[in-house]
Amino acid sequence: MTWALLLITSVAPTALLCAVWALIPSPDEPPRWRVALADALEAVAQRLRHRHVEPYDPFRTLAVQERLGAVADHVRHLEGDERLFARAERIIASQLAYDQLLAEACRMAGVEVRPAAAGDAQERFREEVELAARGWTW
């Protein structure tokens, strides 16, 4: 009996103090209620972000396809004309415009746009192949 009383009188206050100590936040971590509230708000924000989806506009897709075709024809014309003044600068500028249109088309089609140096031919080829695989023509 004395052993039981000794255990109860030593264990009960220890358990009570540990429970109270767990409720007091340390300076390094925020209170649990604040973490739970932040998680709940983040979940609500995620649902709101997924709800706001831009509607698909086929005319915008058609406009980007037409513009891609026009810029590609312009680049081919520049590459074929040997006597053009400042030909290299014009080709570079036209290819950069083409790359930007390709990036916009990739965003519209759901193709990943990888970060690459401006005018990267390999990335341009990859984007063209991905768009062609999804049915884009220009």
Side-chain angles (χ1 to χ4, degrees):
M1 181 73 174
T2 58
W3 285 104
L5 286 173
L6 181 63
L7 283 175
I8 290 174
T9 57
S10 63
V11 172
T14 304
L16 181 64
L17 286 174
C18 286
V20 170
W21 187 262
L23 294 176
I24 300 171
S26 71
D28 295 337
E29 65 183 44
R32 289 191 181 105
W33 66 269
R34 193 175 291 170
V35 173
L37 180 63
D39 290 341
L41 288 175
E42 183 64 30
V44 169
Q46 285 288 341
R47 277 189 242 125
L48 289 176
R49 274 188 230 126
H50 290 294
R51 235 185 253 172
H52 179 66
V53 176
E54 190 173 314
Y56 176 71
D57 185 9
F59 295 109
R60 183 161 163 72
T61 302
L62 183 62
V64 170
Q65 285 178 340
E66 286 180 1
R67 195 69 194 136
L68 270 171
V71 173
D73 289 340
H74 181 68
V75 170
R76 278 192 288 274
H77 171 73
L78 290 174
E79 289 174 346
D81 192 359
E82 295 290 329
R83 301 181 325 158
L84 190 65
F85 180 73
R87 182 173 157 242
E89 285 79 9
R90 291 181 186 197
I91 290 173
I92 291 170
S94 298
Q95 284 180 343
L96 291 176
Y98 181 76
D99 290 343
Q100 289 177 350
L101 281 170
L102 267 180
E104 182 179 352
C106 286
R107 282 189 290 276
M108 292 173 71
V111 176
E112 176 190 6
V113 179
R114 297 179 184 158
D120 185 14
Q122 291 177 343
E123 179 62 19
R124 182 182 310 126
F125 181 72
R126 186 194 68 81
E127 290 173 355
E128 288 173 343
V129 168
E130 290 286 335
L131 287 173
R134 285 172 169 74
W136 281 61
T137 57
W138 61 93

